[in-house]
Amino acid sequence: MFRIGKLFYNPSIQRILKSTFIYAGGDFLNKAIPFMLIPVLTRFLSTEDYGILAAFMAIFGIVQIIISMGTTEAIIRGYFDNKKEDFYFSEYVFNGLLINFFVFSVIILLWFMSKNLLIKLIPIPFGFQLLIPFLGLFVGVSTIPSKLWVYMKKPLPFTVFNVSRTLLEVVLSIWLVVFLGFGWDGRVLGIFVGKGLFFIIGIGALLHSGFLRIS
């Protein structure tokens, strides 16, 4: 019993327990906050609104994967090569982002070229359809600093970043849907503004940490 009690005074064990608590608490909040939004949406959105919102989110999920192109995983792998000679991690990150922006540009171009077909196939106004590639870019880029914090063993920035983004999206959605009378588009705009803001914050975090250099 004495040895077990003494174990908890070990600095390494305390750091592990602290990190575990922060990650677990953050993950719980990140999932609980959108869950609490469900009763609000069911009260103020029609069945048709729900259908359009579901279609939007499904397409967004696919486009996000295409735009990301696995660059986040590649950058995480590159992080562990950071100290190797002749390997410049900040330039490597820039090239990863360059790929994201290139794929995003191609998708936007194809979206405009297929405008008439997409209007017929997708039950979403074309203006809102164009938000989908932007959301894919926002998430693809903002995921990079978030994942890096995990491997840098910085649970607090990781948790604050993700929970704050989710909370902002939910608050904006409630404000637009409940108080301003928007429908499914209120939820979409809430997500768009929230992810767009944290896209900018994510870029700023990469620059501040020295992990991004234009090259």
Side-chain angles (χ1 to χ4, degrees):
M1 181 67 70
F2 172 74
R3 290 182 178 179
I4 295 175
K6 190 176 180 179
L7 186 66
F8 287 99
Y9 289 97
N10 186 299
S12 298
I13 298 298
Q14 288 181 346
R15 282 196 297 269
I16 292 172
L17 291 174
K18 181 180 178 181
S19 297
T20 302
F21 176 78
I22 294 174
Y23 281 128
D27 185 61
F28 172 79
L29 287 174
N30 223 25
K31 292 177 180 177
I33 292 172
F35 181 78
M36 291 186 290
L37 181 63
I38 294 176
V40 177
L41 294 180
T42 53
R43 170 68 177 81
F44 288 91
L45 296 185
S46 65
T47 305
E48 182 182 356
D49 282 338
Y50 253 106
I52 297 174
L53 182 59
F56 183 94
M57 297 306 294
I59 299 169
F60 158 57
I62 296 171
V63 172
Q64 176 199 331
I65 294 172
I66 297 172
I67 292 177
S68 294
M69 289 290 289
T71 53
T72 301
E73 290 72 19
I75 287 170
I76 295 302
R77 176 65 186 86
Y79 172 75
F80 292 99
D81 293 330
N82 195 13
K83 294 183 179 179
K84 288 186 177 181
E85 189 177 354
D86 296 328
F87 181 80
Y88 304 100
F89 180 66
S90 58
E91 296 178 7
Y92 186 77
V93 172
F94 173 75
N95 286 313
L97 296 184
L98 203 60
I99 292 172
N100 292 152
F101 277 94
F102 175 75
V103 177
F104 161 77
S105 301
V106 171
I107 290 177
I108 284 289
L109 179 62
L110 292 174
W111 217 289
F112 272 107
M113 291 173 62
S114 309
K115 178 179 179 179
N116 294 332
L117 177 63
L118 291 173
I119 290 174
K120 294 178 181 178
L121 292 177
I122 304 175
I124 302 171
F126 188 73
F128 278 90
Q129 289 186 32
L130 289 177
L131 298 184
I132 294 174
F134 282 94
L135 282 172
L137 178 67
F138 293 164
V139 174
V141 173
S142 63
T143 301
I144 294 171
S146 178
K147 289 284 184 69
L148 282 172
W149 283 322
V150 173
Y151 290 95
M152 292 169 65
K153 299 179 181 179
K154 293 185 176 182
L156 192 58
F158 169 83
T159 300
V160 171
F161 183 84
N162 287 289
V163 172
S164 298
R165 179 175 57 189
T166 302
L167 184 61
L168 177 62
E169 291 175 15
V170 169
V171 169
L172 286 173
S173 298
I174 291 175
W175 180 58
L176 290 167
V177 173
V178 177
F179 296 99
L180 296 186
F182 282 73
W184 63 270
D185 49 345
R187 175 59 174 151
V188 168
L189 289 173
I191 294 172
F192 182 80
V193 174
K195 293 192 185 306
L197 177 60
F198 276 81
F199 161 78
I200 297 171
I201 293 173
I203 293 287
L206 289 172
L207 289 169
H208 178 72
S209 60
F211 287 160
L212 178 61
R213 179 185 174 188
I214 298 174
S215 173

